[in-house]
C-alpha cells in the first residue's frame, strides 16, 4: 500500500504517513523529515519524526531511513511511549517501513536528492572545508580529483540511451587541485550504465584542455559501441553549459582542497606503500580495479585507506 502522502499547507510541503495496520490502522501521522546539511557527506539517511496531528508538540516516534538501501538504518527507532506498537507486536516504525511501496521510496529518494543538490549549489567554497582522502596521492603523484567524489550529490551530466544493454552514459570529471598549479587539464571518464550500475568492460576516458575543450589524449576507449571522441562531442552538444561548468568545478575543488590543507584533519603526506596483493599502489589508477581483490574500483576501495594515506 502507499504509506506516504504530501500536501501544501500555508505554502509549505507537509509529509504524512498512514499507519497500515494494528490499533492505529488508517491513522494519518505528520512526518517531519530532516536531512544532513553537509554537501560533502556520503550518508543517504533521512531522519523521520512522527507526530499526532492533534498533538504536534509530542513526537510519537523518531527513526532513520536509508534511501539508498530502502530500509530502516541500523539505529533503533526511538518511541516516546511504549504503547505505540501494533496489535501484531511490530513497532510502529517497522510496520510503516515494511509497508512502503516503490512509489513511497521513489518519493523519499527524490525528496532527499533534490535537497542535497540544493545544498551543494549553495556551498560557500571560500569557507567550506571538505575531506580529501587521497591527499597523499595528490601531493606526491599529481592525483586528479573527481568532482563527485568530493561533492557526491552534485549535478550529474548523463546521456540517456535506449540500447538493450546500455540505458545511460555518465560523465565523471576529474581535476588537478594543487594550489598554484596553472595547468588546464581535466580528465573525463564516460561510463556506460544499466539500471544505475556501471557496465564492466566498457570504458571511455579522455584528457581535455579546459580552455579549448579539445581532446589532448585518449586514455581509454574499450568495449563500447561509440568511441570516446564521439561521446565527448555528444556531451558538449547535449550540455552546452559544460564549457562554463567544468572550469568552475576545477576552481571550486581547488578552493576546497586549499581549505582542507589548513584544517587539522589534514593527513600527513607519505609515499605509497604496497597492498596485500603486492601491487604498488602508486601505479594503480583511481578508476582501475583495486589490487586488494575486492572487485571495486581503487578510488572506492583502498585509495585513501591507512595503507596509503597515514
Amino acid at each position: 500500500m502507499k504509506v506516504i502522502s504530501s500536501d501544501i499547507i500555508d505554502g509549505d510541503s507537509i509529509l504524512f504517513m498512514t499507519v497500515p495496520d494494528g490499533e492505529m490502522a488508517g491513522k494519518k501521522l505528520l512526518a517531519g523529515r530532516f536531512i544532513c546539511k553537509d554537501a560533502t557527506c556520503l550518508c543517504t539517511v533521512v531522519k523521520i519524526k512522527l507526530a499526532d496531528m492533534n498533538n504536534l508538540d509530542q513526537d510519537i516516534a523518531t527513526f532513520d531511513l536509508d534511501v539508498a538501501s530502502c530500509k530502516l538504518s541500523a539505529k533503533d527507532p526511538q518511541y516516546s511511549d511504549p504503547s505505540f506498537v501494533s496489535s501484531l507486536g511490530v513497532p510502529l516504525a517497522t510496520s510503516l517501513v515494511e509497508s512502503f511501496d516503490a512509489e513511497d521510496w521513489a518519493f523519499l529518494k527524490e525528496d532527499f536528492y533534490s535537497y542535497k543538490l540544493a545544498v551543494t549549489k549553495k556551498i560557500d567554497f571560500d569557507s567550506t572545508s571538505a575531506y580529501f582522502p587521497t591527499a597523499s596521492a595528490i601531493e606526491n603523484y599529481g592525483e586528479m580529483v573527481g568532482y563527485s567524489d568530493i561533492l557526491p550529490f552534485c549535478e550529474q551530466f548523463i546521456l540517456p540511451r535506449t540500447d538493450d544493454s546500455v540505458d545511460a552514459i555518465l560523465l565523471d570529471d576529474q581535476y588537478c587541485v594543487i594550489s598554484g598549479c596553472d595547468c588546464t587539464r581535466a580528465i573525463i571518464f564516460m561510463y556506460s550504465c544499466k539500471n544505475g550500475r556501471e557496465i564492466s568492460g566498457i570504458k571511455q576516458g579522455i584528457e581535455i584542455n579546459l580552455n579549448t575543450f579539445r581532446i589532448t589524449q585518449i586514455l581509454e576507449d574499450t568495449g563500447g559501441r561509440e568511441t570516446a571522441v564521439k561521446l565527448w562531442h555528444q556531451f558538449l552538444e547535449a550540455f552546452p553549459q559544460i564549457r562554463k561548468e567544468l572550469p568552475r568545478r576545477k576552481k571550486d575543488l581547488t578552493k576546497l582542497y586549499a581549505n582542507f590543507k589548513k584544517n587539522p584533519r589534514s593527513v600527513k603526506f607519505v609515499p605509497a606503500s604496497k597492498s596485500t596483493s603486492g601491487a604498488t599502489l602508486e601505479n594503480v589508477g583511481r578508476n582501475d580495479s583495486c589490487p586488494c581483490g575486492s572487485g571495486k574500483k581503487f578510488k572506492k576501495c583502498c585509495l585513501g585507506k591507512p595503507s596509503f594515506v597515514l
Side-chain angles (χ1 to χ4, degrees):
M1 65 171 288
K2 188 173 185 301
V3 173
I4 298 173
S5 59
S6 62
D7 198 358
I8 303 296
I9 300 178
D10 294 331
D12 294 325
S13 176
I14 306 298
L15 190 68
F16 302 97
M17 291 188 182
T18 304
V19 182
D21 52 29
E23 297 176 0
M24 298 175 66
K27 187 175 183 60
K28 184 178 288 187
L29 302 174
L30 182 67
R33 68 249 200 228
F34 303 87
I35 300 173
C36 171
K37 295 182 179 180
D38 183 355
T40 68
C41 179
L42 286 167
C43 81
T44 51
V45 172
V46 178
K47 181 178 289 295
I48 300 292
K49 288 188 176 182
L50 296 177
D52 191 320
M53 292 293 292
N54 298 320
N55 185 10
L56 298 181
D57 294 331
Q58 178 65 58
D59 291 335
I60 293 175
T62 301
F63 55 94
D64 293 344
L65 295 174
D66 188 327
V67 298
S69 60
C70 297
K71 62 182 181 182
L72 279 168
S73 72
K75 186 177 180 180
D76 291 335
Q78 301 296 312
Y79 296 95
S80 59
D81 187 325
S83 66
F84 290 111
V85 175
S86 76
S87 59
L88 298 177
V90 180
L92 178 60
T94 303
S95 178
L96 284 168
V97 175
E98 288 181 347
S99 299
F100 283 0
D101 61 16
E103 191 175 348
D104 290 322
W105 284 114
F107 178 93
L108 288 171
K109 287 181 179 181
E110 177 64 25
D111 186 59
F112 174 86
Y113 288 112
S114 295
Y115 178 84
K116 295 293 278 192
L117 175 59
V119 169
T120 301
K121 289 182 175 181
K122 294 179 181 179
I123 288 179
D124 180 355
F125 289 95
D126 290 320
S127 60
T128 299
S129 180
Y131 181 59
F132 285 74
T134 61
S136 177
I138 293 171
E139 294 294 316
N140 294 330
Y141 312 114
E143 173 77 29
M144 305 287 267
V145 179
Y147 193 77
S148 62
D149 289 343
I150 305 302
L151 298 171
F153 302 103
C154 64
E155 183 176 5
Q156 299 281 354
F157 298 109
I158 301 173
L159 286 175
R161 287 290 184 267
T162 56
D163 190 286
D164 290 340
S165 58
V166 177
D167 56 25
I169 310 291
L170 175 66
L171 185 146
D172 175 22
D173 47 322
Q174 306 169 17
Y175 307 93
C176 168
V177 297
I178 298 176
S179 301
C181 179
D182 59 359
C183 75
T184 58
R185 296 186 307 134
I187 300 297
I188 305 294
F189 280 99
M190 294 163 285
Y191 295 111
S192 296
C193 302
K194 184 69 176 181
N195 298 325
R197 295 181 177 274
E198 180 188 339
I199 301 173
S200 178
I202 303 179
K203 193 176 185 181
Q204 277 84 21
I206 57 176
E207 179 183 294
I208 65 166
N209 183 299
L210 286 172
N211 289 332
T212 64
F213 281 83
R214 292 180 178 175
I215 297 174
T216 56
Q217 185 179 357
I218 303 292
L219 304 177
E220 294 276 355
D221 201 357
T222 57
R225 295 184 179 181
E226 300 169 286
T227 66
V229 174
K230 182 178 179 180
L231 282 177
W232 175 236
H233 286 296
Q234 288 179 7
F235 271 105
L236 289 176
E237 182 177 350
F239 303 99
Q241 69 270 32
I242 276 183
R243 295 180 182 273
K244 290 184 178 181
E245 181 71 8
L246 299 196
R248 183 191 65 77
R249 288 188 173 196
K250 173 180 168 61
K251 182 179 179 181
D252 291 343
L253 273 188
T254 301
K255 287 182 178 179
L256 289 178
Y257 184 62
N259 294 339
F260 164 75
K261 291 178 67 176
K262 300 174 186 177
N263 190 290
R265 291 187 300 171
S266 295
V267 298
K268 178 181 178 182
F269 304 132
V270 296
S273 62
K274 292 186 178 181
S275 71
T276 54
S277 66
T280 303
L281 296 183
E282 62 194 85
N283 296 324
V284 181
R286 68 197 298 279
N287 288 293
D288 292 338
S289 296
C290 189
C292 75
S294 67
K296 299 179 181 179
K297 289 183 184 179
F298 185 39
K299 69 178 183 180
K300 298 293 187 182
C301 192
C302 287
L303 183 55
K305 287 188 176 179
S307 62
F308 188 49
V309 178
L310 302 179

